Amino acid sequence: MRVDAADRQPIASETPQPVEPLDETRPETEPGVAPPIADESQSTLSDDAKEEEADFSWLDEDLPPEDEDEDEEDGATPAVTAAPRRPQVAGDAGFRLREEARPQPAGPAAPQLTWLQRLRAALGRSSTQLTGQITSIFTKRRLDEEVLQDFEDVLIQADLGVETAMRITDRLSEGRYGKEVSGAEVKRVLAEEIEKALDPVALPLELDLEKTPHVILVVGVNGTGKTTTIGKLAAKLTRAGLSVTLAAGDTFRAAAVEQLKIWGERTGSEVVARPIGADAAGLAFDAYDTAVKNGSDVLIIDTAGRLQNKAELMAELEKIIRVLQKREPDAPHTVLQTLDATTGQNAMNQVDIFRNVAGVNGLVMTKLDGTARGGILVAIAAKHRLPVYFVGVGEGIDDLEPFKARDFAAAIAGVEAEAISESA
Ligand SMILES: Nc1nc2c(ncn2[C@@H]2O[C@H](COP(=O)(O)OP(=O)(O)OP(=O)(O)O)[C@@H](O)[C@H]2O)c(=O)[nH]1
């Protein structure tokens, strides 16, 4: 079956948001009633519990073999009136089912404007800064070395990366050297080149349901939005009719566990949690079994992100992966890294680190709203060429959007998407 689809740094808010049960998405879950938490007896969290770390050395022993055994519209909360009995995934949901047997209904026309407006609003600061500088550089000046150098500097300051900045200035100078160039023309060239850089990485998340559960391990530095992204993703998947189990693998922070439980309630997903300080690999192992037992299509595992204690964190991630592979050799099927757009160049370095240790094979860029540093996504795409599945444009449940190269390029360059398509 195929489905496409240290020490802690301070974070903006660790307070779980109020619960708004998504009762319409999962009728089998009573509105407002929390789904069962695996091993409820252990779910009470306390500092004392840190002392009680279980012995998971048995995980290193060989295990007996296993038995063989959205209609989301662009940028808007999907109008779900009844839970689909079978997954129905819209073409633009940002993920897709590989399984041929799972049909993709045509669905209603997507309200593109809503999504574009949201993206433009999200990238407003990145775009305003960049386009303002373009206007001041190019007004009443002929294209010469000095202008091109000023332009290149602006692009580098906008975090687009040296390689992309040089490609854009080269392309601009082609046939225009010595001439006056309008700001509109510069923005169009900018948008086209950004789209070219992003297009290869704008891919839907592929969920392979041949062997359920499809395991998604979510990694990234703390505060980059792992838990929030997991919640938003669970909402997308459950709305499409897939069943999801969540594993609270950030066993270092009580607030992260509580936050995940709330997302579990909101999305009707079972949450597997352990006391603070518990072994994250053991939890992942149990969560896999829980997801098998409850028939989940997807298991999403949260992790800690204490980069300051790098050796310990990396050992923990490696152990989680090793342990999961005792159950399913291909797990985790997706290793998703969250990147906080507001951290600019740091985000690039974080990909270097987590890619090596955890085998990251997909990215989600969060907090694109309210940052002037959205350009970093272009530099990361050019360097790492990893798929970017979604972008986070706010803290709400609907603020996770499938990544679309053209829309992103147009929004950041401050042009209409049609302007790119006409001239590209
Ligand atoms: N504005 C905005 N805020 C976001 C976005 N994604 C996450 N956040 C906020 O960022 C903060 C940190 O998010 P978390 O999901 O707790 O991050 P985390 O990586 O799980 O952090 P740890 O649990 O500490 O490892 C929270 O206040 C979120 O609401 C986004 O796309 N936009």
Side-chain angles (χ1 to χ4, degrees):
M1 216 187 293
R2 279 188 61 169
V3 189
D4 271 335
D7 297 327
R8 190 157 296 283
Q9 291 171 343
I11 60 169
S13 162
E14 295 193 338
T15 310
Q17 302 298 307
V19 179
E20 289 171 22
L22 293 175
D23 46 325
E24 77 277 30
T25 64
R26 295 288 302 262
E28 65 273 23
T29 303
E30 268 187 68
V33 175
I37 305 290
D39 202 354
E40 194 72 62
S41 64
Q42 296 189 56
S43 65
T44 308
L45 306 170
S46 75
D47 284 339
D48 294 341
K50 288 179 188 169
E51 308 298 323
E52 304 169 8
E53 181 156 0
D55 174 15
F56 284 98
S57 54
W58 56 272
L59 288 169
D60 293 320
E61 293 161 18
D62 281 335
L63 296 162
E66 270 280 87
D67 285 343
E68 280 297 302
D69 341 318
E70 137 187 27
D71 237 348
E72 177 155 355
E73 295 168 353
D74 236 353
T77 305
V80 179
T81 51
R85 287 290 157 211
R86 304 178 66 193
Q88 297 187 338
V89 183
D92 58 358
F95 66 95
R96 65 178 181 233
L97 302 179
R98 282 189 189 160
E99 184 203 23
E100 305 253 81
R102 297 193 178 211
Q104 296 189 11
Q112 296 255 334
L113 275 180
T114 308
W115 153 237
L116 283 173
Q117 281 165 350
R118 282 158 57 86
L119 186 70
R120 281 181 192 283
L123 288 172
R125 285 187 58 199
S126 302
S127 171
T128 307
Q129 189 165 312
L130 192 54
T131 56
Q133 287 168 318
I134 287 173
T135 306
S136 68
I137 290 174
F138 287 91
T139 302
K140 295 188 178 155
R141 284 173 78 184
R142 289 182 190 280
L143 200 63
D144 58 16
E145 276 311 313
E146 196 188 337
V147 170
L148 284 170
Q149 189 57 57
D150 288 351
F151 184 40
E152 196 176 295
D153 290 347
V154 161
L155 297 175
I156 292 169
Q157 278 162 26
D159 290 310
L160 290 170
V162 176
E163 190 192 315
T164 307
M166 286 173 66
R167 213 179 39 246
I168 294 168
T169 47
D170 284 352
R171 161 89 199 282
L172 186 69
S173 62
E174 279 169 19
R176 297 184 185 87
Y177 202 82
K179 298 179 184 163
E180 262 190 39
V181 188
S182 71
E185 198 174 351
V186 175
K187 287 192 271 181
R188 204 187 63 236
V189 169
L190 174 64
E192 286 169 11
E193 290 302 314
I194 291 178
E195 187 193 1
K196 270 188 215 162
L198 294 178
D199 202 48
V201 301
L203 298 167
L205 170 63
E206 288 204 359
L207 302 176
D208 187 351
L209 296 190
E210 274 298 337
K211 290 181 188 168
T212 55
H214 179 100
V215 181
I216 303 176
L217 183 68
V218 181
V219 302
V221 174
N222 52 336
T224 54
K226 289 185 297 295
T227 313
T228 310
T229 300
I230 290 170
K232 293 171 180 175
L233 183 56
K236 264 189 195 303
L237 298 174
T238 52
R239 281 169 176 165
L242 296 168
S243 58
V244 176
T245 294
L246 304 177
D250 184 353
T251 53
F252 280 81
R253 193 165 73 91
V257 178
E258 291 307 317
Q259 208 180 323
L260 203 73
K261 287 181 183 176
I262 289 169
W263 282 111
E265 287 180 32
R266 296 181 78 180
T267 61
S269 306
E270 184 164 349
V271 178
V272 180
R274 284 267 179 79
I276 290 304
D279 181 275
L283 180 137
F285 188 86
D286 287 351
Y288 186 87
D289 283 348
T290 301
V292 169
K293 275 191 205 122
N294 70 18
S296 282
D297 296 306
V298 182
L299 166 65
I300 312 180
I301 304 172
D302 197 3
T303 60
R306 308 161 330 279
L307 202 54
Q308 291 87 338
N309 196 346
K310 204 164 125 189
E312 203 179 296
L313 170 66
M314 297 307 162
E316 181 175 289
L317 288 177
E318 281 167 350
K319 188 173 173 191
I320 290 173
I321 293 168
R322 203 169 65 240
V323 159
L324 283 168
Q325 287 175 347
K326 289 180 184 257
R327 278 285 187 246
E328 157 57 35
D330 293 334
H333 306 93
T334 303
V335 183
L336 207 55
Q337 179 171 1
T338 51
L339 298 169
D340 176 344
T342 63
T343 63
Q345 203 59 38
N346 275 345
M348 174 83 87
N349 304 336
Q350 290 165 14
V351 181
D352 284 328
I353 295 168
F354 281 88
R355 191 174 186 177
N356 284 337
V357 176
V360 169
N361 57 14
L363 302 173
V364 174
M365 178 67 86
T366 66
K367 308 188 198 179
L368 273 172
D369 50 311
T371 176
R373 314 191 74 177
I376 191 65
L377 189 49
V378 181
I380 291 172
K383 179 175 177 200
H384 289 285
R385 300 180 195 276
L386 285 168
V388 179
Y389 296 130
F390 298 99
V391 289
V393 291
E395 296 181 88
I397 194 163
D398 296 318
D399 294 330
L400 187 72
E401 296 290 348
F403 181 61
K404 292 177 189 160
R406 174 159 296 174
D407 289 348
F408 187 93
I412 209 163
V415 301
E416 297 300 320
E418 295 72 29
I420 309 181
S421 49
E422 282 161 16
S423 55

